[in-house]
Amino acid sequence: MSAADLDKDPDEVSGMFDGVAAGYDRTNTVLSAGNDILWRIATTKAIDPKPGERILDIACGTGTSTVPLAKAGATVVGVDFSPEMIAEAQRKHPELEFRVADATELPFGDDEFDAVTISFGLRNVQQPKVALAEMYRVLKPGGRLVVCEFSKPPRALLRAGYYAYLKVVAPIVAGITSSNRDAYRYLVESIQDWPDQQTLTQWIRGVGFTRVAYRNLTTGVVALHRGRKPEDLAIRAATARRTGRAKPTSTS
């Protein structure tokens, strides 16, 4: 099983995540040497959830990323394309709302959410630019986008060491802590194949977001990307014409 093979079959990707749902959080913590906890904290701070806000957490997995947003007082909806991940999230956090959903066809109306976030899931989407356009669509004008994703360390020496870890050490660790080594072999390949920080920045701008920026976490192993849906109707209308989307509403 390779990343290239699975890129052609979304059902296989979903099935792969179904198979690792039960031990997913534990394996991720071991593979990241505990850094996943710090990445989640940084992501929550970047989202800046507030009481009364409505937030969409895409690729929510077992709900680990959803919980701190809800604790801040926001109304959060967690979605994932893996039914078993959602089942595990509902089992762990029955008080929260979770749904099975495809990031490229979100089951929500236009301008519904104050913030949309996706952590470590965009690279698993077959059409990531389509998913980003969907995130733009469901955000309210002025709404916030936060994407936390694996990236490429800018320093060549660090990048070489990181790729050596992914190729040699990570499969061994995954084999010990996970019941599905193929799943984590795919994850390693998907990380290596994913574009760099500047490319993802261009994709986010390309679907219409403004105030786009990123900052590296853990020397660039992970990057935290942010953007805003423009409040100005004229800017949104220009984006709609450029991208071929329907004319935006007058909400400001």
Side-chain angles (χ1 to χ4, degrees):
M1 180 186 296
S2 71
D5 293 335
L6 284 171
D7 186 52
K8 299 174 184 177
D9 193 338
D11 290 338
E12 282 194 49
V13 181
S14 176
M16 176 195 70
F17 280 97
D18 286 346
V20 298
Y24 187 69
D25 294 329
R26 180 188 66 249
T27 301
N28 285 345
T29 298
V30 174
L31 282 173
S32 69
N35 279 290
D36 63 319
I37 298 169
L38 301 177
W39 298 335
R40 284 197 297 272
I41 292 171
T43 302
T44 300
K45 287 182 178 179
I47 298 166
D48 190 21
K50 297 179 176 63
E53 288 190 326
R54 185 165 163 80
I55 299 177
L56 178 61
D57 183 18
I58 302 174
C60 67
T62 62
T64 304
S65 58
T66 316
V67 171
L69 304 176
K71 284 184 176 179
T75 299
V76 190
V77 181
V79 301
D80 200 285
F81 70 159
S82 164
E84 289 302 320
M85 285 286 187
I86 289 297
E88 187 71 8
Q90 290 172 329
R91 184 186 68 80
K92 287 184 173 181
H93 312 290
E95 74 284 2
L96 301 180
E97 180 181 356
F98 295 99
R99 300 191 202 178
V100 177
D102 184 341
T104 62
E105 295 182 77
L106 293 172
F108 305 103
D110 298 349
D111 307 336
E112 279 200 28
F113 294 94
D114 297 285
V116 174
T117 182
I118 180 169
S119 295
F120 307 108
L122 190 59
R123 75 184 189 286
N124 297 317
V125 178
Q126 190 177 30
Q127 297 175 292
K129 293 180 186 178
V130 174
L132 288 169
E134 276 288 272
M135 296 176 207
Y136 179 96
R137 179 183 67 79
V138 302
L139 269 173
K140 297 176 182 178
R144 313 183 299 280
L145 171 74
V146 176
V147 178
C148 184
E149 188 52 271
F150 288 109
S151 200
K152 299 186 184 301
R155 295 181 180 273
L157 187 60
L158 289 172
R159 188 164 59 247
Y162 174 51
Y163 286 165
Y165 170 81
L166 289 176
K167 185 176 181 180
V168 178
V169 180
I172 295 172
V173 174
I176 296 171
T177 60
S178 171
S179 60
N180 189 337
R181 295 188 65 174
D182 280 343
Y184 285 91
R185 187 176 300 117
Y186 159 77
L187 291 177
V188 167
E189 291 181 11
S190 73
I191 292 169
Q192 291 176 312
D193 292 341
W194 186 246
D196 61 14
Q197 293 91 324
Q198 290 76 20
T199 300
L200 181 51
T201 295
Q202 292 170 3
W203 289 359
I204 294 171
R205 284 201 182 104
V207 300
F209 286 100
T210 57
R211 297 169 62 181
V212 178
Y214 75 86
R215 71 181 179 97
N216 289 327
L217 305 177
T218 318
T219 69
V221 167
V222 165
L224 199 58
H225 292 258
R226 287 183 277 190
R228 292 266 186 167
K229 183 172 180 176
E231 292 188 73
D232 189 282
L233 179 61
I235 296 175
R236 298 202 309 277
T239 296
R241 289 193 298 271
R242 176 172 54 81
T243 60
R245 298 192 203 116
K247 186 177 179 181
T249 65
S250 59
T251 305
S252 60

